Amino acid sequence: MITQKFIDRQEEVRILRDAFRKGALIIVYGRRRVGKTRLLIEVSKEFRTLYHLCKEEEVVETLKSLNSKLFSLTKDETLLRHPITSFEEFFERLPEGTVTILDEFQILAKNYPRILGILQEYWDFKRKGSLVLCGSSISMMEGLTSYGSPIYGRRTLSLKVSPLKFIHVGKFFPTYNMEDVVKVYGAVGGIPEYLLRFDASLSPEENIRESFFNRGFFYNEAEYLLRYELRDLSTYNTILEAISYGYRSFNELKTVTKIDGSKLTRYLSILMNLDIVGREFPVTVKPKKKRKNSRYFIRDNYFAFYYTFVYPFREEIELGIPEVAVENFERNFNRYLGWVFEGIAKQFLIELNKADKLPFRFTKIGKWWHRGEEIDLVALNEREKKAIFVEVKWKNLEEREAKN
C-alpha cells in the first residue's frame, strides 16, 4: 500500500515556520504537483490560517468564498449581514496574526491585475500577519519579485519547492526493493503526486505500461505542463526530443533542430529556468570556457522518460498500437537507467559529503570529459588538491569487474 504520510521537507518546514512566526510576505512556487499545497497546509497547522485556492471565476465569486472563510475564522455574524465587496475590505477584516495563503495566485493576478496594487498597500500600511502567495506558473511567480512589480522589494522570503530526492522516494514504496525504486524514480522523478499514482501491488514496469503506453495519467501530462508555461509547444518538443536522442552540445542542437542560434539560446534558457533542462560542464573547466564546452541534458526525470520512450511513438499509441513503443521501452529501459543511476550516485555523494563521511570535504562535483575521455563523477577540493574519481555502473558486477 502506498504511504500517504508527509515525507521529507524538514528544511522547508523549518524555514516557513520561522517566517510565519515573524509575519512575512512569502512567495512559494514550483512546478505543478510538486507538493506546495501539502507543504503549506502541514506548516500552517499550528497557526491561525485562512487558505484560499484561486480559481478561474468572476471576482464576485472569489469575494463570496473569501467572505465565507472569514466567517469560519472569526465567527463574526456581521459578515453574514454585510458580506465583503472588495479585496480591500477582505484584508481590513482579517484578524491580527492570521496566516493568509492565496494558492495558485497567478490565476487571480491574471484575471484581476489590480490585486497586486492592493497587496502593496495592505503590506505597506495594514499588514496583520503573514501573507503567502503560492503558484505553479514558475515564470509568472518569479515575475512577482522582479523590478516593476508592485510588490518588488517587499517579499520576505521566496521559496522554490523542488522535487523530492531519491533517498525519500523509497518511503512511498515500502514493499519495493532498491532496484524497483530506481525504476520508479527514473520514470517519474521525485514528484509526490506522481509517486502516489503508482500502484505498489504492481511492478514498476507494469505501472509504466499502464500509465504511459496505455494512455493513462502520464501520457498527456508532459504536454499539459508545457502548455501551462509555454506558447510555441512544437519548437520546445523539437528541442527536447533532440536532447533525448543524444544531441547535447549547442552546435549539435542548432544543426539538428535548424533553429536560429539566438532563438535557440532563448528557448534553452526558458527550459532551464523551468528546471526541465540542465546544462553541465567538465568539473575542472574554467569559467571563461564554460559556454564553449557545455552540454545540455533533460534534468527532470519525468520529461526525460517521456521524450525518450513516449513522444517518439505518439502516433503509434494514438492509433491503438502501443506495442512498438512498449518493445522499445523494454529493450532500452535498462540503458536509460544508467544515466538515472549516475544522478542518484551524485546525490548520494553530496549527502555523504554533508555528513563528513568521505576522506575529505569536496567543494565541487560533476562529470569530466576531454576529447574521447570521460569520467562519470569527479569530486574535487582544489585548495587541498584532492579528488575522488567515480565510475557508475547500473549492473551487477563481479568482484573482478569492479576491480577493473
Side-chain angles (χ1 to χ4, degrees):
M1 180 178 167
I2 297 174
T3 177
Q4 301 252 354
K5 68 180 180 180
F6 186 68
I7 291 174
D8 188 39
R9 306 297 193 198
Q10 290 94 339
E11 183 64 12
E12 292 95 330
V13 167
R14 182 189 64 76
I15 291 169
L16 286 170
R17 195 171 279 149
D18 288 348
F20 284 4
R21 289 193 186 109
K22 294 171 184 173
L25 175 56
I26 304 162
I27 310 291
V28 176
Y29 65 106
R31 61 172 286 181
R32 290 179 66 83
R33 312 189 204 281
V34 79
K36 303 179 296 297
T37 301
R38 178 68 193 276
L39 168 65
L40 289 169
I41 289 172
E42 196 71 25
V43 179
S44 65
K45 283 178 179 176
E46 60 187 75
F47 298 89
R48 192 178 197 183
T49 303
L50 188 151
Y51 171 86
H52 177 72
L53 176 64
C54 302
K55 306 180 188 72
E56 292 283 1
E57 61 186 6
E58 295 295 327
V59 171
V60 65
E61 296 302 319
T62 301
L63 290 170
K64 281 181 186 176
S65 178
L66 289 171
N67 190 77
S68 174
K69 288 166 184 177
L70 268 177
F71 175 72
S72 296
L73 194 68
T74 64
K75 306 304 179 194
D76 181 353
E77 294 193 359
T78 61
L79 289 163
L80 301 180
R81 296 192 296 274
H82 305 288
I84 60 169
T85 57
S86 68
F87 287 103
E88 289 91 339
E89 198 176 347
F90 165 70
F91 288 116
E92 188 71 38
R93 302 291 291 268
L94 276 173
E96 197 70 40
T98 303
V99 173
T100 305
I101 300 171
L102 299 178
D103 201 352
E104 297 299 350
F105 176 74
Q106 76 279 349
I107 296 174
L108 178 59
K110 175 172 69 81
N111 292 340
Y112 190 69
R114 277 197 63 227
I115 189 64
L116 292 173
I118 294 168
L119 287 176
Q120 176 190 355
E121 184 177 349
Y122 165 70
W123 196 251
D124 286 348
F125 303 110
K126 304 172 185 176
R127 70 177 83 168
K128 295 183 177 181
S130 289
L131 175 63
V132 182
L133 308 178
C134 177
S136 299
S137 174
I138 294 173
S139 53
M140 190 165 181
M141 293 304 293
E142 288 183 338
L144 291 178
T145 59
S146 63
Y147 186 76
S149 166
I151 59 173
Y152 170 76
R154 290 167 174 81
R155 60 128 166 83
T156 313
L157 169 69
S158 283
L159 180 64
K160 187 174 187 178
V161 181
S162 300
L164 296 171
K165 292 184 171 67
F166 172 77
I167 194 171
H168 303 292
V169 172
K171 295 175 184 176
F172 286 79
F173 305 98
T175 61
Y176 276 6
N177 61 32
M178 191 62 72
E179 185 176 336
D180 285 341
V181 177
V182 171
K183 290 174 180 177
V184 172
Y185 184 69
V188 298
I191 304 296
E193 187 169 330
Y194 293 177
L195 298 170
L196 290 169
R197 286 180 178 274
F198 266 62
D199 182 349
S201 68
L202 304 175
S203 71
E205 289 88 348
E206 288 171 319
N207 274 290
I208 288 167
R209 288 189 199 98
E210 188 62 33
S211 54
F212 281 96
F213 301 114
N214 285 343
R215 301 175 67 176
F217 174 80
F218 295 120
Y219 177 63
N220 284 318
E221 176 73 354
E223 186 169 324
Y224 177 74
L225 290 170
L226 290 176
R227 287 194 187 282
Y228 196 72
E229 292 278 0
L230 308 169
R231 285 195 295 269
D232 190 2
L233 209 59
S234 60
T235 303
Y236 290 102
N237 279 332
T238 299
I239 294 168
L240 289 167
E241 187 178 21
I243 296 173
S244 76
Y245 283 159
Y247 299 104
R248 306 276 305 282
S249 74
F250 184 84
N251 285 336
E252 286 175 336
L253 287 169
K254 182 180 171 184
T255 300
V256 76
T257 63
K258 296 180 172 54
I259 299 171
D260 175 76
S262 60
K263 290 181 179 177
L264 180 59
T265 299
R266 182 164 52 86
Y267 287 130
L268 287 167
S269 176
I270 291 168
L271 288 170
M272 287 191 288
N273 191 49
L274 296 175
D275 285 336
I276 295 171
V277 165
R279 187 181 178 196
E280 61 185 358
F281 324 90
V283 70
T284 55
V285 78
K286 301 301 178 189
K288 288 182 180 178
K289 295 186 177 179
K290 280 189 173 182
R291 179 176 176 83
K292 193 174 182 181
N293 202 15
S294 62
R295 293 175 177 174
Y296 295 92
F297 64 99
I298 301 181
R299 180 188 296 278
D300 183 285
N301 282 2
Y302 167 71
F303 279 96
F305 183 91
Y306 177 84
Y307 280 95
T308 301
F309 295 109
V310 182
Y311 184 78
F313 298 94
R314 277 190 67 110
E315 187 174 343
E316 289 87 344
I317 295 169
E318 290 289 339
L319 289 170
I321 46 172
E323 294 81 12
V324 181
V326 172
E327 286 169 13
N328 177 67
F329 158 69
E330 291 172 345
R331 189 168 59 250
N332 294 304
F333 188 42
N334 223 36
R335 185 172 62 183
Y336 164 84
L337 288 174
W339 170 80
V340 172
F341 190 55
E342 206 171 283
I344 292 169
K346 184 177 179 180
Q347 290 181 25
F348 181 64
L349 285 167
I350 289 170
E351 293 304 314
L352 288 177
N353 195 52
K354 287 179 184 175
D356 207 13
K357 291 185 177 179
L358 294 172
F360 63 89
R361 294 292 291 272
F362 63 75
T363 55
K364 293 170 73 176
I365 185 170
K367 295 174 76 69
W368 177 88
W369 64 88
H370 180 69
R371 294 179 181 166
E373 301 296 327
E374 186 166 323
I375 301 174
D376 291 336
L377 290 170
V378 178
L380 290 177
N381 186 314
E382 292 176 309
R383 187 176 58 82
E384 297 180 9
K385 299 191 184 308
K386 292 180 178 178
I388 298 172
F389 301 98
V390 181
E391 182 75 12
V392 183
K393 294 289 185 189
W394 175 247
K395 62 182 290 190
N396 291 320
L397 294 176
E398 296 177 0
E399 186 178 353
R400 178 178 56 79
E401 291 177 298
K403 286 179 177 177
N404 284 340

